[in-house]
Amino acid sequence: MIRENQRLLNFALVLIDVFVIIISLWTSIWLRFQTTLFGPIGGHISYQNYVIFMLVVIIPVYLILYFAFGLYKPRRTYKNIFSEATQIIKVNILAFFIFVGVLFIINQPNFSRLMLILLAVIATFLGIIERFVIRSFLIHMRINNKNLKHILIVGDNDLAFTFAQKIKENPYLGFSIGGFIGRPEHVGQKIDGIKVIGAFEDLDKILEKHRFDRVVLAIPLKFYYRIDELVESCEKVGIKAEIIPDYIRYFPAQPSVDMIEDIPIINIRYVPLDDSFNKFLKAISDYVIAIIAIIITSPIMILTAIAIKLTSKGPIIFKQERIGYNSKPFMMYKFRSMKVQAPDEEMSEWTTKDDPRKTRVGDFIRKTSIDELPQFFNVLKGEMSVVGPRPERPFFVNQFKETIPKYMVKHQVKPGLTGWAQIHGCRGDTSIKKRIKYDIEYVENWHMGLDLGIMIKTVLKKNPNAY
């Protein structure tokens, strides 16, 4: 039943996508030719030609790209729309270049390129809204015990029980556990309300008797010699077996898989910013935000520079070596907030709440984070990002990497002016382990929406540990 429902859902999605593309196209044509928002029209072809181009090129290209970018795959395990939104953005960027290429090939100079830009923007906006509404509706159904997939878990160990607990804690997934398969001595027992309905040897009979949508193998390494027969039992009744590897305990995060010929290689840490498009998207947003921030805060920076110069001896800008992306050192800029110190003191001494080294102006600009504003120039140089783990001095990096597990993971992305750890109060003389926990969460779960949320909270939330 679920397979039939998925086919119907995909068919409905295709129809809705076609409708959204048509609406986007007509809106972009109206904005370009029926309003004066975008200047004079110039050369122009008939509306009939736009309709033909839509039917022959635009709709087919969009649907092909939607399929190619996985937008018709089941998305039960996605908690939010951001991953799908990123794919929709990619589709529209690529579609724009394809359309321009087609117009060049057929030598059609009077077809409005500006209209195609409007189409890409509007189709992106409406496409994201459409998918958000559909996914929200499906999640609502699943939470109310509709459109469920029925799962059989093969295993009666901690791994199997942990997986079952995750399913129960997240009803948005729409999974219903039909029972466990385990060792004979456990048959009939209930674990957290779920019954062990048979032994490994009973799998054939159970699959013939009951209808399951998925069979998940969650067995200990010592029983891996049975995987062949378990998989064969599933395939006899046309169910694909899925395996949760027992060595998942060694994965510190969501893994990804590369293929070398027919051999899979599991990367134990998934970093979204390893993706070229994600990296490009973040870089563009960093440059735009940094330029806007420098323009807006320039009066504050000028006044701060004057105040520092008038109240204490020494340079206005304090430069200090920090460790950045891929563990490369760089010079980070700040407004000087402390008295001039010896180099060895700067490298190895931690700032405290009532630090006597702070100047009168320094105490204020540190509490208000004005001292961090020059780091927008680090962003323009490509050494930092607006959002990311805070960079640390080489002295402390060398110390922490030996004593704090996974400390160096933070260096797999660019450091930032603010970050996930900072909006959770991990700033100044606070727990390094807690800070790294948040940094790793950021590294492994990055999306543009997360960056936006961190920036908003940074502006709105006062940090008690800013000193």
Side-chain angles (χ1 to χ4, degrees):
M1 184 66 184
I2 287 293
R3 294 190 183 95
E4 286 76 11
N5 288 345
Q6 188 61 50
R7 281 194 289 268
L8 284 172
L9 175 61
N10 285 345
F11 181 71
L13 275 176
V14 170
L15 292 180
I16 296 170
D17 286 337
V18 169
F19 177 74
V20 168
I21 293 164
I22 292 172
I23 293 296
S24 302
L25 181 64
W26 282 118
T27 304
S28 60
I29 290 174
W30 177 77
L31 287 171
R32 180 65 188 100
F33 301 117
Q34 301 298 321
T35 71
T36 58
L37 293 172
F38 299 97
I41 293 175
H44 179 42
I45 62 175
S46 68
Y47 289 113
Q48 183 181 355
N49 286 332
Y50 281 101
V51 172
I52 292 170
F53 192 77
M54 175 184 72
L55 295 174
V56 175
V57 179
I58 292 178
I59 291 176
V61 165
Y62 265 109
L63 293 181
I64 289 169
L65 291 177
Y66 268 47
F67 274 107
F69 280 83
L71 287 165
Y72 294 117
K73 291 181 179 178
R75 301 282 176 176
R76 283 177 182 260
T77 56
Y78 282 27
K79 277 188 176 180
N80 54 55
I81 191 67
F82 291 111
S83 295
E84 207 163 18
T86 301
Q87 298 300 87
I88 291 171
I89 293 169
K90 291 179 182 178
V91 164
N92 280 279
I93 292 173
L94 184 55
F96 170 77
F97 287 109
I98 291 173
F99 298 150
V100 171
V102 170
L103 292 173
F104 177 78
I105 292 170
I106 65 176
N107 192 24
Q108 183 51 269
N110 291 325
F111 195 103
S112 174
R113 272 60 171 178
L114 179 56
M115 188 278 293
L116 290 178
I117 294 175
L118 292 172
L119 172 62
V121 173
I122 295 168
T124 298
F125 179 70
L126 294 182
I128 291 172
I129 291 176
E130 170 215 337
R131 292 306 174 105
F132 175 77
V133 171
I134 290 171
R135 298 303 171 194
S136 298
F137 172 72
L138 291 174
I139 288 172
H140 177 75
M141 285 182 62
R142 290 162 188 160
I143 289 174
N144 288 279
N145 297 319
K146 295 175 182 176
N147 189 233
L148 299 179
K149 280 193 174 184
H150 300 281
I151 294 180
L152 177 66
I153 301 176
V154 179
D156 59 359
N157 57 323
D158 288 342
L159 179 63
F161 303 150
T162 301
F163 175 67
Q165 188 61 36
K166 294 289 184 185
I167 296 297
K168 293 178 72 174
E169 289 172 356
N170 295 282
Y172 77 91
L173 294 167
F175 293 141
S176 173
I177 300 172
F180 294 107
I181 294 290
R183 286 160 284 188
E185 61 268 26
H186 293 159
V187 175
Q189 294 180 8
K190 281 191 175 182
I191 295 97
D192 200 17
I194 303 171
K195 191 175 181 181
V196 180
I197 60 174
F200 294 131
E201 293 78 11
D202 303 324
L203 184 59
D204 283 328
K205 291 185 290 184
I206 289 169
L207 292 179
E208 289 289 347
K209 185 177 178 182
H210 302 278
R211 184 177 176 86
F212 292 102
D213 298 295
R214 303 175 72 166
V215 175
V216 178
L217 308 183
I219 59 177
L221 279 170
K222 63 181 180 180
F223 291 121
Y224 267 35
Y225 70 91
R226 307 200 68 161
I227 282 183
D228 281 346
E229 65 180 272
L230 295 171
V231 171
E232 188 177 341
S233 295
C234 295
E235 292 182 340
K236 275 183 188 176
V237 293
I239 298 177
K240 293 177 183 176
E242 298 169 90
I243 299 173
I244 303 176
D246 188 42
Y247 47 87
I248 193 78
R249 72 189 71 173
Y250 304 113
F251 294 175
Q254 177 185 350
S256 60
V257 179
D258 286 334
M259 296 295 295
I260 296 181
E261 295 295 332
D262 57 347
I263 299 176
I265 298 178
I266 299 174
N267 300 316
I268 62 171
R269 193 172 303 283
Y270 172 66
V271 180
L273 283 169
D274 284 343
D275 179 84
S276 298
F277 179 81
N278 289 342
K279 195 176 291 185
F280 170 76
L281 198 63
K282 186 169 175 65
I284 291 296
S285 69
D286 280 340
Y287 287 126
V288 171
I289 293 168
I291 291 169
I292 293 171
I294 288 170
I295 293 170
I296 292 173
T297 62
S298 56
I300 298 173
M301 287 197 277
I302 291 169
L303 291 173
T304 303
I306 294 170
I308 292 171
K309 196 66 179 174
L310 292 176
T311 57
S312 64
K313 294 180 180 180
I316 295 169
I317 298 296
F318 170 68
K319 293 188 287 186
Q320 189 177 64
E321 187 179 37
R322 299 288 175 110
I323 302 300
Y325 179 50
N326 282 337
S327 302
K328 293 180 181 177
F330 71 99
M331 299 304 292
M332 189 181 80
Y333 307 137
K334 298 179 77 170
F335 281 122
R336 184 173 57 82
S337 58
M338 294 191 173
K339 298 168 186 175
V340 177
Q341 305 165 66
D344 58 335
E345 290 178 336
E346 289 178 4
M347 287 190 297
S348 59
E349 287 196 30
W350 204 264
T351 307
T352 57
K353 186 171 183 178
D354 299 310
D355 202 310
R357 296 172 296 167
K358 288 189 287 186
T359 64
R360 284 180 294 163
V361 171
D363 190 50
F364 173 74
I365 65 174
R366 290 182 76 92
K367 285 180 179 178
T368 55
S369 297
I370 291 173
D371 66 319
E372 310 281 3
L373 292 179
Q375 287 161 45
F376 282 114
F377 292 98
N378 286 115
V379 175
L380 289 182
K381 290 175 68 177
E383 297 165 335
M384 292 181 67
S385 179
V386 176
V387 179
R390 287 295 291 166
E392 195 46 81
R393 285 165 279 181
F395 175 86
F396 291 112
V397 171
N398 291 330
Q399 185 182 99
F400 294 149
K401 72 180 182 181
E402 301 296 336
T403 57
I404 308 295
K406 308 172 190 173
Y407 180 80
M408 296 303 289
V409 172
K410 62 183 279 186
H411 298 100
Q412 295 184 22
V413 300
K414 284 183 183 179
L417 279 81
T418 184
W420 189 234
Q422 281 64 47
I423 66 168
H424 284 89
C426 297
R427 181 178 170 178
D429 191 13
T430 53
S431 169
I432 299 299
K433 288 185 178 180
K434 190 176 179 182
R435 194 182 305 185
I436 289 303
K437 171 181 170 290
Y438 286 120
D439 284 342
I440 292 174
E441 282 182 11
Y442 175 82
V443 169
E444 296 172 345
N445 296 283
W446 176 89
H447 51 75
M448 282 304 299
L450 181 60
D451 272 7
L452 181 61
I454 290 171
M455 284 185 274
I456 292 171
K457 287 183 179 179
T458 298
V459 173
L460 299 179
K461 186 176 181 181
K462 180 177 173 63
N463 196 320
N465 297 313
Y467 48 76

